[in-house]
Each structure stands twice: as structure tokens, then as C-alpha cells.
Amino acid sequence: MSNNEFIVIKALEDGVHVIGLTRGTDTKFHHSEKLDTGEVMIAQFTDHTSAVKIRGYAEIQTAHGTVTSDSKSK
Ligand code: TRP
């Protein structure tokens, strides 16, 4: 898959989880990355990754716009 798009995830609290889900028939967690406040992860959708789940309070920038996820306690 050729994909130059990437998403930017900036943690706005400690312990934000960026979870990669597999592409294909089975949709499973394959990677979990923990970010603390201010940490940034830049990620792409790949042959292995079809979806990304964000747990916790973070700003997510995509080509489609910016969205803020909330933490459970909010
Ligand atoms: N090995 C994974 C892949 O190539 C790494 C990855 C890419 C990833 N995008 C991600 C992991 C998004 C978590 C979230 O697909």
C-alpha cells in the first residue's frame, strides 16, 4: 500500500494509549504505545494497520481535521 498520509497524536494527559488494529479479516490489537503529556506520535496506516484507537485525552490531527479525544474521567 502506498500511503503518504500520516496522523499526529499529541497526548494531553499522562498514559494516553495509541492502539494499532490489524488490517484484514481479523481486526485485532497489534500494538499499544503509551504517551505521556506533551509526547507526540506520528503514525501511518499501513498494510498491517487499518485502524487506530486512542484511549485518553489527546489531540489527533489528520488530513480530515483535528479531533480531541476525552479521558474517561471527563
Ligand atoms: N508495525 C506497524 C505497521 O507497520 C506499525 C504501525 C504503523 C502502527 N502505524 C501504526 C502502530 C499505528 C500503532 C498505530 O503497521
Side-chain angles (χ1 to χ4, degrees):
M1 177 197 275
S2 74
N3 169 31
N4 300 317
E5 289 288 331
F6 56 85
I7 62 171
V8 177
I9 303 125
K10 181 179 182 182
L12 299 176
E13 69 175 356
D14 288 349
V16 168
H17 278 91
V18 178
I19 300 158
L21 295 114
T22 55
R23 189 176 297 284
T25 333
D26 294 333
T27 306
K28 292 184 175 164
F29 287 16
H30 68 72
H31 187 99
S32 179
E33 197 69 40
K34 200 188 103 197
L35 304 181
D36 286 333
T37 308
E39 289 185 326
V40 168
M41 182 166 167
I42 300 165
Q44 288 181 305
F45 292 92
T46 68
D47 287 344
H48 305 291
T49 304
S50 66
V52 176
K53 173 175 171 171
I54 316 284
R55 287 189 75 138
Y57 183 34
E59 183 179 281
I60 303 129
Q61 298 174 3
T62 76
H64 308 282
T66 300
V67 66
T68 305
S69 57
D70 292 327
S71 82
K72 233 180 174 180
S73 55
K74 284 197 118 196

